[in-house]
Amino acid sequence: MDEPQVPADPDDEAEIPESHPRYESLLTRHRIEDGLEKGITSRQGLIAQGRGEAYDYLLGERTLESADEAAQAAAAALLLADRPVVSVNGNVAALCPGEVVDLAEATDAAIEVNLFNRTEERMEAIADHLRKHGASEVKGLAGDGKIPGLDHARATVDADGIESADTVLVPLEDGDRAEALGAMGKTEIVIDLNPLSRSAQTAAIPIVDNIIRAVPNVTAHARELQDASRADLRAIVESFDAAAALDAAEAAVRTGR
Ligand code: PTJ
């Protein structure tokens, strides 16, 4: 056999050889499994990841040009914002905790844990995990704010976090909450591999890409744009066409090009 051998159940992600043709997918699966064991990721998170992987496979496991443009627009919107927040759920925390911390630093955004299946244990486990990866402050634990129009647990946010944010990055979000956040008048940036999902469809800036690639890409754009004028940043956001980006992603899924 020519393919490099991978341990069926690696105990450590370092055991996955980088030369393996499915390295990124194996790494992702390992992180999600590990997240489940640490009480960070929910069991539903495994299902969500499987759905995402299927879309990533159809997209050719690459960042489309339209997704890169969206990432640049997202970086510009976060730099322009007065109160930007990066929302983190159990999948995001397991897949790219250090990358989320880097992005928050590059854009001066707050980090808030916001869960679909909210329990105090998971909230604490995720906040600890983010702190271990360098986060100095993690919001979400106060839970003294509300997203109107949603049932109780999913609506709970921090008053000085998502509730009062003007721009929110919500990766891998469920459609209902994404819609409700949009209805609060916030500039909503979504990362979702499914261009047909309600979250992607309702976002001001949908990034149809794997979160593993998208978050570092937004950070890289933010660093490039660090010294850009507000007028230049506004021009980037205004010239971004969400409907065209979604069409390009859907065409890539359907045709493989
Ligand atoms: O941690 P919690 O309790 O907040 O729960 C989080 C999940 C993800 C379980 C919850 O929000 C959920 O059920 O989400 P959905 O409705 O399954 O939506 C998740 C979306 O993310 C789907 O459209 C997937 O295609 C997409 N997705 C999954 N994995 C990735 C992804 N998008 C980008 N990168 C991924 N790695």
Side-chain angles (χ1 to χ4, degrees):
M1 273 219 278
D2 288 330
E3 279 206 356
Q5 296 299 296
V6 179
D9 183 17
D11 291 329
D12 188 316
E13 64 181 46
E15 290 175 34
I16 306 168
E18 282 187 39
S19 58
H20 194 279
R22 305 210 42 78
Y23 172 74
E24 203 180 83
S25 159
L26 291 168
L27 180 73
T28 305
R29 286 182 183 190
H30 185 269
R31 287 192 183 171
I32 286 281
E33 245 187 310
D34 200 43
L36 190 71
E37 274 159 25
K38 289 194 171 111
I40 288 172
T41 308
S42 70
R43 282 189 294 177
Q44 285 187 14
L46 300 178
I47 300 166
Q49 172 61 28
R51 186 152 60 149
E53 256 191 41
Y55 278 101
D56 205 14
Y57 191 78
L58 293 170
L59 285 166
E61 294 172 334
R62 66 200 156 120
T63 297
L64 301 176
E65 204 181 310
S66 53
D68 185 51
E69 283 162 15
Q72 190 196 39
L78 288 167
L79 291 171
L80 279 170
D82 291 326
R83 298 179 68 91
V85 176
V86 180
S87 176
V88 175
N89 66 17
N91 286 49
V92 177
L95 291 176
C96 51
E99 292 82 353
V100 162
V101 174
D102 281 350
L103 173 62
E105 262 171 31
T107 56
D108 209 10
I111 299 176
E112 177 161 342
V113 183
N114 183 233
L115 299 183
F116 180 73
N117 299 297
R118 184 182 174 112
T119 66
E120 285 316 301
E121 291 76 21
R122 284 186 65 219
M123 294 292 293
E124 294 284 357
I126 292 171
D128 277 354
H129 190 61
L130 291 166
R131 285 189 209 104
K132 277 190 197 129
H133 283 84
S136 48
E137 197 197 344
V138 180
K139 293 189 189 290
L141 295 142
D144 52 354
K146 281 264 162 292
I147 306 173
L150 282 182
D151 55 66
H152 184 69
R154 292 185 312 152
T156 306
V157 291
D158 274 15
D160 67 351
I162 288 177
E163 190 181 74
S164 51
D166 54 355
T167 300
V168 198
L169 171 66
V170 279
L172 277 77
E173 188 55 271
D174 82 290
D176 272 6
R177 197 165 39 190
E179 254 178 2
L181 283 168
M184 288 173 87
K186 302 179 190 306
T187 301
E188 198 180 5
I189 303 163
V190 160
I191 299 173
D192 194 319
L193 278 158
N194 177 2
L196 301 172
S197 80
R198 237 175 339 135
S199 324
Q201 298 277 337
T202 54
I205 304 176
I207 307 174
V208 182
D209 199 5
N210 196 320
I211 186 170
I212 292 249
R213 298 187 295 270
V215 169
N217 198 23
V218 177
T219 306
H221 280 296
R223 297 221 155 100
E224 277 161 26
L225 293 170
Q226 206 71 53
D227 298 322
S229 67
R230 290 185 69 79
D232 285 349
L233 293 175
R234 264 194 295 271
I236 290 172
V237 173
E238 277 159 22
S239 66
F240 174 72
D241 184 339
L246 290 173
D247 284 350
E250 187 182 338
V253 167
R254 289 186 190 279
T255 66
R257 286 193 292 273

